[in-house]
């Protein structure tokens, strides 16, 4: 059974701090890794994807991938109250469907 | 505008009354799928389709049917809905999943279904 694990949270950080969201996956053959943000009652929205080991930065967001440790993370710098949402990690292997984690709820307090 | 469109957005129905939730995408994506999302259980895949006339079961297919007669449309059919199918449903589409090209899923707005 291929699994994607995330801490459910809630993860609480003050405004302006760095939020660190973590995800582990069980399938060593996984090739692509995605982070989605989902506001309550809304559809998931793609934030970033990464498929090479190392860091990938996009504005305030940085995705980090370590395939040897089967670990992917999302850092949010200068967290804002509008970042409060559930963050979903998803992985897939070529030719297979996306597998989602259950999500981590982030709360940013002003 | 590139989008995945689901209808209806909200639906309340009674047990046993057949219903269809439509999904349409305008991005020429080959891969489409349906998910349900329940508190504490995350997104669970119901059915997916790799291309026209090609469909397969996901993790929770019981009680659901799908069809893919056209590339853009992927309706979800509940022949005899039951209260345990009360959930938030999402349709998603993506490019053909092959090679090492990332293939993120783009989601519709969601359909909140209540079966009483």
């Amino acid at each position: 059974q291929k699994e994607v694990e995330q801490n459910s949270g809630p993860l609480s950080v003050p405004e302006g701090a760095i939020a660190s969201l973590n995800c582990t996956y069980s399938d060593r053959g996984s090739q692509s890794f995605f982070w989605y943000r989902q506001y309550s009652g809304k559809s998931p929205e793609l934030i970033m994807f990464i498929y090479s080991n190392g860091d990938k930065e996009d504005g305030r967001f940085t995705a980090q991938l370590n395939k040897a440790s089967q670990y992917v993370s999302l850092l949010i710098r200068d967290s804002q109250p509008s970042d409060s949402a559930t963050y979903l990690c998803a992985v897939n292997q070529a030719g297979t469907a996306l597998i989602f984690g259950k999500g981590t709820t982030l709360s940013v307090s002003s | 505008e590139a989008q995945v469109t689901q209808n209806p957005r909200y639906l309340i129905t009674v047990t046993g009354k057949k219903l269809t939730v439509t999904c349409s995408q305008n991005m020429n994506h080959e891969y489409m799928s349906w998910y349900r999302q329940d508190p504490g259980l995350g997104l669970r895949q119901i059915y997916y389709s790799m291309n026209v006339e090609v469909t397969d079961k996901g993790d929770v297919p019981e009680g659901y049917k799908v069809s893919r007669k056209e590339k853009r449309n992927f309706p979800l059919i509940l022949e005899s809905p039951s209260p345990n199918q009360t959930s938030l449903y999402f349709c998603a589409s993506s490019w053909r999943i092959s090679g090492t090209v990332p293939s993120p899923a783009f989601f519709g707005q969601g359909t909140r279904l209540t079966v009483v």
Side-chain angles (χ1 to χ4, degrees):
Chain A
Q1 179 89 10
K2 299 174 184 177
E3 294 182 339
V4 176
E5 299 285 343
Q6 297 180 254
N7 289 327
S8 61
L11 173 66
S12 297
V13 301
E15 184 175 359
I18 295 176
S20 177
L21 303 157
N22 305 315
C23 173
T24 59
Y25 58 93
S26 63
D27 183 7
R28 282 197 171 275
S30 298
Q31 296 170 298
S32 305
F33 307 86
F34 307 90
W35 283 100
Y36 287 83
R37 177 176 62 200
Q38 186 178 26
Y39 294 110
S40 181
K42 303 296 186 181
S43 59
E45 171 193 12
L46 181 69
I47 300 175
M48 292 191 70
F49 64 84
I50 185 169
Y51 51 95
S52 299
N53 275 328
D55 295 359
K56 179 181 179 182
E57 187 174 316
D58 184 0
R60 295 187 296 113
F61 299 96
T62 299
Q64 299 175 316
L65 175 62
N66 184 325
K67 289 187 177 180
S69 300
Q70 296 176 243
Y71 176 92
V72 59
S73 65
L74 179 70
L75 300 178
I76 306 175
R77 289 182 300 280
D78 188 23
S79 295
Q80 301 297 309
S82 59
D83 294 325
S84 298
T86 296
Y87 290 80
L88 304 171
C89 173
V91 306
N92 77 347
Q93 187 181 94
T96 67
L98 274 174
I99 300 173
F100 284 86
K102 293 180 181 179
T104 298
T105 300
L106 173 66
S107 176
V108 181
S109 56
S110 57
Chain B
E1 180 188 354
Q3 58 185 4
V4 179
T5 303
Q6 287 179 235
N7 279 297
R9 295 288 309 281
Y10 302 92
L11 179 60
I12 300 174
T13 190
V14 296
T15 299
K17 185 177 181 182
K18 180 180 179 180
L19 66 91
T20 299
V21 184
T22 63
C23 174
S24 181
Q25 51 93 5
N26 63 0
M27 295 171 278
N28 203 35
H29 286 167
E30 289 168 310
Y31 185 90
M32 297 185 75
S33 58
W34 276 102
Y35 296 86
R36 62 177 289 174
Q37 188 173 39
D38 303 287
L41 297 179
L43 278 165
R44 295 182 291 168
Q45 192 177 53
I46 302 171
Y47 268 95
Y48 64 94
S49 168
M50 300 291 277
N51 213 327
V52 176
E53 301 292 359
V54 180
T55 63
D56 209 344
K57 298 177 180 178
D59 297 321
V60 288
E62 294 77 21
Y64 304 95
K65 285 176 58 177
V66 293
S67 68
R68 188 90 182 274
K69 294 185 172 60
E70 305 166 283
K71 196 172 187 178
R72 64 182 293 128
N73 296 322
F74 190 45
L76 179 69
I77 303 158
L78 285 72
E79 294 270 4
S80 183
S82 62
N84 64 12
Q85 293 178 297
T86 293
S87 186
L88 178 59
Y89 290 85
F90 290 105
C91 177
S93 72
S94 63
W95 296 288
R96 183 181 182 86
I97 301 176
S98 63
T100 58
V101 175
S103 49
F106 295 89
F107 285 82
Q109 318 96 303
T111 296
R112 188 168 292 281
L113 172 66
T114 302
V115 183
V116 297

